Amino acid sequence: MIIADKNTKAVDLVRAALEKAKEYEEYHAFISMNEARALEHAREIDAKIEKGEPVGRLAGVPFALKDNYLSPEGMTTAAAKMLEDFASPITATAVKKLEAEGAIMIGRANLDAYAHGGSTENSYFGPTSNAHDKTRVAGGSSGGSAVAVALDIVPFALGSDTGGSIRQPASFNGVVGVKPTYGTVSRYGVVAMASSTDVMGCFAKNVEDANLIMSIIAGKDAKDSTTLNDFWTKNLADAKPEKKKIGLITDFMGEGIDEDVKKTVKDYAAKLKKAGYTVEDVNIPMLKYALAIYYIVQPAEVASNLSRYDGIRYGHRSSDIKGLNDVYSNSRNEGFMSENKRRILIGNFVLSSGFFDAYFVKAQKARTLLINAYNDVFKEYDALLCPVSPRPAFKLGENTSDPLQMYLEDVMTVPPSMAGIPAISVPAGKSKEGLPIGVQLVGPRQSDQILLHIASELEDK
């Protein structure tokens, strides 16, 4: 990561990023650009450097911002028609922290509308293409952020991860993706999806850069009561695992998993052994229920969070109105996309009086069993290893008419999200077609830096 100094101008770093974004415009990684303000910010940093004033650890470093993070520059749309013209009066805490260190937001990255999706095909502004094959998906929901890093437009980007929205696109595009422990980074100023699993994380080209970004945005925030005290305090070299034992999750290495994906995970396990780790097969029976738990709890929270969009307070309001009911129904019908509506319907169903106990309450009890199952395994292992996704990036349009198949793509990323534990995706290999394949490292709560330390030992090997 290149930092501005007396020999390297912030303006030059930002201009180069903006030019590259235009060069790769066909990938549609960005919804909007922040060119004027970014260059103005860069000039301010250069002036401070000239005067010998402090400028921060990320002076002049350009970054992409997933368009569900609020900031006053441009419109915060969450890739939805509902927020197409929404100008935020506030700045997300994570963005404030990065800007305080001199980072410069050059544009807002594309995503599935409201982060509902696993391919960035559900964006109101159109899909994002994979950085390695324009006929394939970028992954989602943080597809634009992943592609912006993979194409070297920016050295890092912010994303959000509710059930795999950082890890899956990171794997599909061959970059590092960090989903931290729940509560590590403030959710203040980020458009809510599912409040009990939403976490803020990042994409980077390498582990060291990812660690730096996370160390800046982590920490307690009075505006988000779920945030944890800052535990991201170690140097990466000092965050060593105690046991040097890794569990290879066999539940995710069986039928239905692409052979190239299996080989990549096995090869990574072999590298871990060569680096001095013990790698043993582990079976966690509760994992097979995680996807079902997620697609009960998550839609319920989605339905609750999206209920505020009523066509009255803010967001899209229909022009086809004859009465108050039309304000609500027509505005929501026009403002939400099909996937948004699907999750609202599922969520309201499982929360309804006749099904609340049978579905939502039971899912939450099963969630506790899943957390306990992870805790038991982590008594013996520092971390767990598994694929990120059952296969490499699939073709654009392949799953758009099959929501169930799209949901099944989340089967390996959802379990850590439901347990609130950290998980990272790191590049590990390629398919026969040359598509990137990542592996997933999962650890107990607040072991985030240990996972990155493990990954750093194998990086480029």
Side-chain angles (χ1 to χ4, degrees):
M1 190 184 300
I2 301 173
I3 314 294
D5 56 27
K6 288 191 175 181
N7 299 314
T8 305
K9 298 294 184 184
V11 167
D12 293 336
L13 295 176
V14 169
R15 279 186 179 143
L18 290 167
E19 286 171 8
K20 217 161 195 181
K22 290 174 185 175
E23 179 185 346
Y24 291 118
E25 196 171 356
E26 60 190 313
Y27 289 85
H28 197 216
F30 292 91
I31 291 175
S32 61
M33 301 307 295
N34 186 39
E35 184 169 355
R37 176 59 188 130
L39 289 169
E40 180 185 351
H41 192 179
R43 284 189 285 268
E44 291 169 358
I45 288 173
D46 286 335
K48 285 184 177 181
I49 292 173
E50 280 295 317
K51 295 175 184 175
E53 297 176 2
V55 289
R57 289 176 283 174
L58 297 174
V61 177
F63 73 98
L65 184 65
K66 186 176 180 179
D67 199 24
N68 58 347
Y69 283 77
L70 275 61
S71 74
E73 290 84 16
M75 303 298 166
T76 301
T77 70
K81 180 179 176 64
M82 182 66 80
L83 291 173
E84 184 177 10
D85 300 315
F86 177 65
S88 171
I90 67 169
T91 302
T93 296
V95 178
K96 277 187 177 180
K97 288 184 173 184
L98 289 171
E99 291 181 341
E101 292 288 349
I104 300 174
M105 189 268 282
I106 66 158
R108 297 178 173 278
N110 198 17
L111 65 147
D112 292 292
Y114 284 105
H116 300 172
S119 64
T120 313
E121 292 175 284
N122 295 322
S123 170
Y124 173 63
F125 301 96
T128 296
S129 297
N130 187 282
H132 297 263
D133 183 344
K134 285 182 283 187
T135 69
R136 295 180 183 268
V137 300
S141 63
S142 310
S145 294
V147 170
V149 174
L151 291 175
D152 285 322
I153 297 171
V154 289
F156 79 92
L158 287 190
S160 61
D161 192 312
T162 304
S165 290
I166 289 175
R167 289 160 287 159
Q168 188 236 37
S171 176
F172 282 5
N173 291 280
V175 296
V176 175
V178 179
K179 182 208 90 71
T181 299
Y182 180 80
T184 300
V185 181
S186 175
R187 292 181 291 119
Y188 177 77
V190 183
V191 178
M193 181 183 172
S195 301
S196 74
T197 58
D198 283 351
V199 296
M200 308 305 119
C202 73
F203 298 88
K205 292 292 287 186
N206 58 62
V207 172
E208 184 180 354
D209 286 354
N211 182 65
L212 173 60
I213 300 309
M214 293 304 304
S215 70
I216 290 170
I217 63 177
K220 194 76 176 173
D221 181 13
K223 295 176 180 176
D224 179 358
S225 62
T226 64
T227 47
L228 304 170
N229 291 325
D230 187 8
F231 62 86
W232 213 289
T233 55
K234 293 182 179 179
N235 293 321
L236 199 55
D238 297 328
K240 296 177 181 178
E242 292 181 6
K243 309 178 192 72
K244 296 207 79 170
K245 287 187 70 176
I246 309 292
L248 174 57
I249 303 176
T250 56
D251 308 74
F252 294 147
M253 294 292 285
E255 187 179 349
I257 311 304
D258 182 90
E259 290 302 319
D260 288 341
V261 171
K262 288 182 189 177
K263 182 180 183 302
T264 299
V265 174
K266 289 176 182 177
D267 288 348
Y268 198 84
K271 290 178 182 178
L272 283 167
K273 291 177 181 177
K274 192 174 180 180
Y277 288 87
T278 300
V279 181
E280 298 175 347
D281 289 350
V282 296
N283 175 242
I284 310 174
M286 271 303 300
L287 292 182
K288 64 177 174 284
Y289 302 109
L291 196 65
I293 297 167
Y294 180 78
Y295 278 105
I296 292 172
V297 174
Q298 182 251 45
E301 295 185 6
V302 164
S304 177
N305 280 323
L306 293 187
S307 63
R308 71 193 70 178
Y309 299 98
D310 53 13
I312 293 176
R313 286 168 284 190
Y314 64 96
H316 174 74
R317 178 183 291 188
S318 174
S319 58
D320 181 17
I321 295 172
K322 296 184 177 65
L324 182 60
N325 284 340
D326 290 341
V327 175
Y328 301 141
S329 60
N330 292 354
S331 297
R332 288 171 68 82
N333 183 48
E334 295 169 11
F336 291 134
M337 298 185 71
S338 296
E339 185 58 32
N340 307 137
K341 296 172 187 176
R342 184 177 294 113
R343 298 189 189 205
I344 290 170
L345 288 170
I346 295 170
N348 284 327
F349 175 80
V350 300
L351 290 174
S352 61
S353 59
F355 300 98
F356 181 77
D357 288 334
Y359 290 97
F360 188 74
V361 172
K362 189 175 289 185
Q364 293 288 24
K365 290 178 179 178
R367 183 181 190 176
T368 300
L369 294 176
L370 176 65
I371 293 169
N372 291 341
Y374 270 124
N375 289 339
D376 288 341
V377 172
F378 287 130
K379 289 174 184 176
E380 189 171 349
Y381 298 97
D382 297 298
L384 300 173
L385 171 67
C386 68
V388 178
S389 179
R391 54 179 172 156
F394 46 91
K395 292 279 188 178
L396 284 161
E398 184 177 335
N399 291 337
T400 50
S401 60
D402 189 348
L404 181 58
Q405 183 58 45
M406 191 73 84
Y407 294 166
L408 288 171
E409 299 289 338
D410 299 336
V411 67
M412 297 160 182
T413 53
V414 156
S417 295
M418 295 310 300
I421 56 179
I424 65 172
S425 172
V426 291
K430 289 191 175 181
S431 70
K432 292 183 182 69
E433 292 80 18
L435 298 170
I437 298 173
V439 297
Q440 187 173 199
L441 289 169
V442 182
R445 286 177 61 81
Q446 299 189 33
S447 68
D448 309 48
Q449 283 191 291
I450 291 174
L451 299 181
L452 287 171
H453 176 93
I454 295 168
S456 70
E457 291 191 83
L458 271 67
E459 200 166 45
D460 301 325
K461 290 183 180 178

